[in-house]
Amino acid sequence: MRAGVQLWLGVLLTGAVMLAAAVSFIWTPYDVTQLAIAAKLQSPGPDYLLGTDHLGRDMVSMLMVGARTSIAVALVAVGIGITLGVPLGLWAAATRGSLTDEIVMRGNDVIFAFPSLVIAILITAVFGPSAINAIIAIGIFNIPVFARVARGAALSLWTREFVLAARVAGKRGARISAEHILPNIANLLIVQGTIQFSLGILAEAGLSYVGLGTQPPTPSWGRMLADAQTFFYGTPRVAVLPGLAIVLMVLGLNLMGDGLRDALDPRLRKTVQ
Amino acid sequence: MSGLQAQGLNLRIGETPILKDVSLDIAPGQILGLVGESGSGKSMTALAVMQLLPGGSICDGTVSLDGDDLTTLTEAQMCDRRGCDVSMIFQEPMTALNPVQTIGFQIAETVTIHGGSRAEGAARARDLLARVGLAQIPLDRYPHELSGGQRQRVCIALAIALHPKLLIADEPTTALDVTTQAQILDLLKQIVTEEGMAMLFITHDLAVVAGLADEVAVMKDGAVVEHGPTAQLFARMQHPYTRALFAASRHQPQRQIQAAPQPLLTIQNATRTYRLPRPHLFAKPDALEAVSDVSFSLHRGESLGLVGGSGCGKSTLTRAILGLEPLQGGKIQLDGQSISPDMPPDVRGRMQVVFQDPYGSFNPRHRVRRILTEPFHLQGSPTGLEARIAEALTSVGLSPQDADKFPHAFSGGQRQRIAIARALITRPDLIVLDEAVSALDVSVRAQVLDLLADLQGQLKLSYLFISHDLTVVRAITDRVLVMAAGKIVEEGPTERVFADPQHSYTRALLAAAPKLPEAAA
Amino acid sequence: MIRYAASRLLSLVLSLVAASVVIFALVEVVPGDPAAFMLGLNASPETVAALRAELGLSGSVVSRYLGWIGGMVQGDFGTSYTYRVPVSELILQRIWVSVPLAGYALILSTVIALPIGILSAARRGRPVDYGIMGFTQLGIAVPNFWFAMLLVLLFAITLQLVPAGGFPGWEAGFWAGMTALTLPAIALALPQASILARVMRSALIETLGQDYMRTARAKGLSEGQAICRHGLRNALIPVLTIIGLQFSFLLAGAIIIENVFFLPGLGRLIFQGITQRDLIVVESVTMLLVFAVITVTFLVDIAYAAVDPRLRRR
């Protein structure tokens, strides 16, 4: 019951932000590449629904286009994590106890022990700040997360009798992983995916805020907060709005993740009751 | 009134009725055996007495202990009674103790929580460990340092610390080996007599209560169907369900002896060592010899049993026979062809397996059709696949339409039939039955045993029947191997081994096994 | 226990080596000549050559790596190109802001989160639980630097209770220093406390379903007693893991938060290094932060063994 409410609230919030981002490709109230210094820091009104920023750009349009950037960065980073991390984790589980498993897992531990944002900062510092480098920096740290989740869940499945039965039928590690393991851990991966998605949004915002992520003139929520840094004492709106957008998106994703987990995993539902 | 009197217990969880008018009566110094199959409500009866029912339960009736009605007590008053007047031990000794605290602390806690000082608690814990036969174990041991039987003794120690008037034992020996079970049962019986406490002993095993309880109550679907002194109950068996349960427990399927002289499976000097997990990355892993120098053969059409306690190496041997893991020494041959993880597909297809857990045997996301055809993975699907599927399902008593269902649509017994159908589909010579009926209730077990016996006769199958359950092995096999500590210690025709065991281990195993009384006339 | 500690120590050393190689390699693969990169496009070849010599860029990659590591082991982090002072001096000045800030935040987060998480688990499914879970759900979603900006708006600009930023230095007195760090620490702690409270709650609820909790109830412990005496210590294992990981997040978070509050910490030092292309500073400070995080991970592993006797035997 409550899981359902969470899930739908999450889907609603995330969906609304995603929709705004999608619409921004074909329409925004104003063109965000057009500066209008004369109209800078306008209060909300009939012309500008949420006012303008310090360069006279419409806040609504900025938020819509910003959503696009933030979502793209986080989504691609999750994609990197899943495409590299999940096969690694499955491989480690299929060869559990072997040297391969040891090396994959120790390697994971090493990356896990890194302060991710610090390394992300280093990467962007060395290769120059850009959205692409931010994606890579965030994505790399998604790999061990997915590898761990995949391996942990796969390990318990490997002891199940249906996997033994498949081995008796002569199936090998890769085949069993694809046919028996992956479909049964997909739930967990989806849930972890929403969590990493939301962490990616936060990380992109942080990197862009310190000037190491998305570069001007491309708007992103973190970028907008960075721009607001010097104006927000006088005009709190320019800092509050992008922050709220981040909160709504991350909240939506987290609610969706929790709701999905409760809905997909009957074991968890039992412990909550 | 002394002892326990439970009167008219009715329990519902949500809308589901769990207990129907259950009444029990146990005098001090007496053991009441509560017998039933899974879902009969026997554990819920215990929790109702303990007042530890899960949330959402609605229970009425009275539970009186030495004249006090426990159902009228507040939760705080009930906490004072639990551990003090009424105690309980559970099925899983491996998880029943807190892993991060010493056994001494956990035993002493029963004393300290009811107002004793730490010193009293520690002294009492020392006495209690000696009382349950663990005098040599220091108090500062952690649960993971003890064996399953030792942990169950610790659980008993903490349950009897304050001389409770009632001890509830919920399947306390089900997770243990037969020999350990016999020791724990002796200990419980001795404690009940010496302490003069009442005991409610819950089990699925009629043979266990037959040797232990003073009175027996048989439960079915939340109600007690028959109740009486043990000898009298087994002699009369008035309720049809009691008779059915009794018959199923000692069920002997009709079998014909059909073993041919030529060997089908031969195992010569098989040795399998395990690498234990590396302590760290560069350490040399320790090794454990799980199977050492085992040789035997299984004849065409024969049913061969392999028995032994947990950790005797029978599971390891099974994996090697199935070609899942390589041997370090010796060889395994099926009809002259070598078995190893790289054996050719046609050899693999001639041997199939049925596992223990009817719930874990199938990928929950695959339909029965896909599950059944998995053994064709290496050979490729034969022509007339649909007919083969229908044939396999029909032969295990299911209908061809069941192929389109998911496994969760079936009961435990039906699932085990599907597992057998999967094993039959390649028309194998040999089926390895790895504890294949151990997880089933006795009535379902009897049906599956009948099915196995029928199939063996019709299809001229050979069985390797691996089990810890002596009754089942005796019922279904022609010849039996007894395994202990990685070696075969005794081998011979089943009836001969059971009637006249030669090796001391076999004798101990048979002496420890609980026995049903002879059938009533 | 000794074997366990030794195995964790080995893992610590491996992580450190791997981390140093990665950091070194990252700086190595800077497109083109690091000296030219640091000096920018308009530098004359002579200055570039001089800087190369100063940076010790001659010699093989291996000898440069070993030189870098060897120096750091002895406390020599190289010389900052822009400041012309040893990097170790710069770090020493700044570390007294960053580490107390991260520590302050960690303590705040733990002190807030654990009781809330325990309360929530004990009252699971009741209004208090829903309230706490809703609140922490929001807390996780808030970017800490944005929360910091809101705190500044409210407490520094509107209410004028505390300065909006800056750090008077510990010379100005302990309380002056702590006051300056309070808003940043709160901003850092809120999201972490939310995560920790949720972990505490779910870990505790997980233990509630265990068989030994049933044994405890059968002994006569009330539900509360069973939670405190048997649930908590078992639930502590996942909680410790998260506390360890949070130190890493807090250090990284501190880097960003220092920007909001104009605190002269390691974070500001890194950003100055980045903008001024002072790669030696960036490289050394990063390595130092990684060292701190990996050491904390090691300490957490050791703490596991204190909590869980099963690990001691390995």
Side-chain angles (χ1 to χ4, degrees), chain C residues 46-58:
Chain C
E46 294 78 38
T47 33
V48 172
L51 182 63
R52 281 185 66 88
E54 192 182 319
L55 293 174
L57 286 180
S58 30

Side-chain angles (χ1 to χ4, degrees), chain B residues 50 52 75 79 82-83 86-88 90-92 95-101 105-106 109-110 112-114 142 144-145 158 279-282, chain C residues 3 6-7 10 14 210-223 225 229-231 233-234 237 307-314:
Chain B
M50 290 296 284
L52 281 177
E75 172 60 20
C79 283
R82 288 188 206 113
V86 47
S87 268
M88 186 161 177
F90 300 93
Q91 174 172 355
E92 242 341 304
T95 51
L97 293 169
N98 185 342
V100 303
Q101 264 151 351
F105 172 87
Q106 296 186 59
E109 192 176 33
T110 311
T112 54
I113 203 78
H114 293 286
Y142 287 94
H144 70 275
E145 299 172 296
L158 65 85
H280 58 87
L281 186 54
F282 298 116
Chain C
R3 263 178 100 176
S7 121
L10 182 74
L14 280 180
Q210 299 292 320
D211 286 353
Y212 54 78
M213 293 299 273
R214 210 172 45 175
T215 307
R217 294 301 314 276
K219 259 190 232 182
L221 276 75
S222 67
E223 189 172 4
Q225 283 172 319
R229 300 173 71 137
H230 294 280
R233 193 148 153 208
N234 280 289
I237 293 164
V307 173
D308 190 344
R310 283 164 296 187
L311 287 175
R312 280 176 226 161
R313 294 265 293 199
R314 279 210 253 133

Side-chain angles (χ1 to χ4, degrees), chain A residues 78-105:
Chain A
V78 170
I80 293 175
I82 289 182
T83 45
L84 293 177
V86 172
L88 266 181
L90 289 177
W91 186 32
T95 61
R96 64 219 160 277
S98 73
L99 204 62
T100 329
D101 182 25
E102 280 283 340
I103 291 169
V104 170
M105 288 332 287

Side-chain angles (χ1 to χ4, degrees), chain B residues 216-505:
Chain B
V216 175
V218 180
M219 272 190 99
K220 180 179 190 276
D221 298 332
V224 173
V225 297
E226 187 164 3
H227 182 194
T230 308
Q232 195 185 327
L233 182 129
F234 278 108
R236 292 188 189 157
M237 292 201 279
Q238 285 169 329
H239 196 278
Y241 179 71
T242 314
R243 282 197 293 276
L245 205 59
F246 186 81
S249 300
R250 43 183 295 144
H251 181 72
Q252 292 269 359
Q254 291 291 318
R255 307 179 51 241
Q256 66 233 50
I257 307 298
Q258 53 173 12
Q262 66 272 41
L264 177 68
L265 178 77
T266 54
I267 289 155
Q268 286 167 17
N269 310 102
T271 299
R272 170 89 176 116
T273 45
Y274 266 118
R275 262 186 351 188
L276 295 174
R278 295 159 194 271
H280 58 87
L281 186 54
F282 298 116
K284 206 170 156 7
D286 292 325
L288 169 83
E289 191 156 276
V291 174
S292 60
D293 201 20
V294 164
S295 301
F296 65 87
S297 59
L298 185 153
H299 300 274
R300 199 173 279 281
E302 186 183 32
S303 176
L304 179 66
L306 178 64
V307 288
S310 57
C312 74
K314 59 185 192 299
S315 312
T316 309
L317 185 58
T318 310
R319 282 159 186 266
I321 292 173
L322 291 172
L324 294 179
E325 287 170 10
L327 288 175
Q328 267 81 40
K331 59 180 175 184
I332 302 176
Q333 286 183 313
L334 183 71
D335 213 7
Q337 286 171 293
S338 226
I339 286 178
S340 72
D342 325 295
M343 62 181 146
D346 57 312
V347 182
R348 226 179 240 289
R350 298 181 59 188
M351 176 168 59
Q352 292 296 333
V353 63
V354 178
F355 291 111
Q356 171 175 4
D357 180 7
Y359 295 91
S361 297
F362 312 118
N363 187 334
R365 286 162 199 282
H366 290 178
R367 287 176 199 278
V368 169
R369 177 188 315 280
R370 186 159 178 200
I371 289 167
L372 290 184
T373 50
E374 186 159 52
F376 290 127
H377 166 63
L378 288 177
Q379 302 165 309
S381 295
T383 50
L385 183 66
E386 278 306 309
R388 289 284 278 271
I389 293 171
E391 175 196 317
L393 283 172
T394 317
S395 64
V396 297
L398 295 172
S399 89
Q401 286 81 42
D402 289 333
D404 294 314
K405 295 183 186 161
F406 283 101
H408 55 72
F410 296 91
S411 70
Q414 287 173 320
R415 287 182 199 217
Q416 213 57 340
R417 285 170 190 267
I418 296 171
I420 295 169
R422 171 171 61 187
L424 291 175
I425 200 149
T426 58
R427 296 177 180 147
D429 298 317
L430 170 65
I431 297 185
V432 175
L433 298 153
D434 186 1
E435 302 275 7
V437 296
S438 301
L440 304 175
D441 277 328
V442 279
S443 47
V444 180
R445 187 179 78 186
Q447 294 162 13
V448 173
L449 285 176
D450 278 342
L451 173 66
L452 288 172
D454 280 355
L455 290 170
Q456 184 169 34
Q458 281 171 32
L459 306 172
K460 307 288 172 242
L461 293 167
S462 306
Y463 288 157
L464 177 60
F465 199 98
I466 297 146
S467 183
H468 69 283
D469 188 336
L470 298 169
T471 326
V472 172
V473 171
R474 190 172 192 171
I476 192 90
T477 64
D478 307 317
R479 202 155 56 91
V480 68
L481 306 166
V482 182
M483 197 168 178
K487 290 188 161 59
I488 305 283
V489 297
E490 184 157 359
E491 172 178 3
T494 306
E495 275 318 308
R496 203 277 294 148
V497 171
F498 276 78
D500 180 23
Q502 299 299 307
H503 194 273
S504 57
Y505 178 75

Side-chain angles (χ1 to χ4, degrees), chain A residues 64-256:
Chain A
M64 285 170 71
V65 180
R68 200 158 90 187
T69 321
S70 299
I71 290 169
V73 169
L75 210 53
V76 176
V78 170
I80 293 175
I82 289 182
T83 45
L84 293 177
V86 172
L88 266 181
L90 289 177
W91 186 32
T95 61
R96 64 219 160 277
S98 73
L99 204 62
T100 329
D101 182 25
E102 280 283 340
I103 291 169
V104 170
M105 288 332 287
R106 293 286 170 147
N108 259 324
D109 284 350
V110 169
I111 303 185
F112 224 66
F114 276 30
S116 47
L117 198 61
V118 175
I119 303 296
I121 286 169
L122 184 69
I123 291 174
T124 43
V126 167
F127 295 102
S130 75
I132 300 290
N133 287 341
I135 288 174
I136 294 170
I138 301 168
I140 286 177
F141 290 96
N142 279 336
I143 298 172
V145 174
F146 284 103
R148 246 177 213 216
V149 170
R151 178 179 178 270
L155 272 185
S156 68
L157 285 174
W158 269 97
T159 63
R160 295 277 292 272
E161 288 177 347
F162 68 81
V163 173
L164 275 181
R167 291 174 63 200
V168 170
K171 290 186 179 169
R172 295 300 164 102
R175 177 82 188 239
I176 292 177
S177 293
E179 210 168 90
H180 289 297
I181 309 282
L182 192 58
N184 281 299
I185 65 170
N187 292 348
L188 278 174
L189 294 177
I190 292 168
V191 170
Q192 194 64 43
T194 62
I195 295 171
Q196 295 310 115
F197 192 176
S198 75
L199 288 177
I201 299 265
L202 287 174
E204 190 278 337
L207 282 177
S208 298
Y209 171 71
V210 294
L212 294 174
T214 316
Q215 292 302 300
T218 313
S220 91
W221 293 336
R223 194 65 244 153
M224 290 169 78
L225 283 172
D227 290 342
Q229 176 80 350
T230 26
F231 304 96
F232 81 99
Y233 292 168
T235 326
R237 180 174 45 82
V238 294
V240 171
L241 288 174
L244 271 181
I246 296 172
V247 171
L248 287 182
M249 180 69 186
V250 174
L251 187 64
L253 283 168
N254 286 341
L255 286 172
M256 198 164 88

Side-chain angles (χ1 to χ4, degrees), chain C residues 62-248:
Chain C
V62 177
S63 71
R64 269 177 302 167
Y65 171 74
L66 292 177
W68 178 57
I69 294 289
M72 275 196 298
V73 171
Q74 291 159 21
D76 173 14
F77 288 74
T79 307
S80 156
Y81 174 70
T82 31
Y83 294 93
R84 298 277 168 193
V85 291
V87 177
S88 51
E89 244 173 64
L90 288 173
I91 289 176
L92 268 182
Q93 292 166 8
R94 311 300 186 101
I95 208 164
W96 291 109
V97 178
S98 295
V99 170
L101 175 57
Y104 192 179
L106 191 66
I107 291 169
L108 264 182
S109 138
T110 313
V111 166
I112 298 168
L114 297 193
I116 286 182
I118 294 168
L119 179 72
S120 198
R123 299 263 182 280
R124 65 199 172 283
R126 310 228 190 114
V128 184
D129 181 30
Y130 287 134
I132 290 175
M133 283 303 99
F135 190 77
T136 54
Q137 190 70 270
L138 196 64
I140 292 174
V142 173
N144 56 23
F145 59 91
W146 180 66
F147 186 53
M149 290 163 93
L150 295 186
L151 287 177
V152 169
L153 266 181
L154 179 62
F155 292 101
I157 312 298
T158 313
L159 300 176
Q160 311 229 317
L161 291 175
V162 284
F167 186 68
W170 295 107
E171 308 84 63
F174 178 72
W175 288 114
M178 289 302 274
T179 313
L181 292 184
T182 297
L183 280 192
I186 293 176
L188 274 174
L190 173 89
Q192 301 303 323
S194 302
I195 294 171
L196 198 57
R198 293 178 79 88
V199 171
M200 182 78 234
R201 172 182 180 271
S202 57
L204 204 51
I205 289 179
E206 170 95 39
T207 66
L208 292 181
Q210 299 292 320
D211 286 353
Y212 54 78
M213 293 299 273
R214 210 172 45 175
T215 307
R217 294 301 314 276
K219 259 190 232 182
L221 276 75
S222 67
E223 189 172 4
Q225 283 172 319
I227 290 176
C228 292
R229 300 173 71 137
H230 294 280
L232 268 187
R233 193 148 153 208
N234 280 289
L236 219 53
I237 293 164
V239 170
L240 268 176
T241 313
I242 301 299
I243 290 179
L245 281 179
Q246 291 203 334
F247 184 75
S248 144

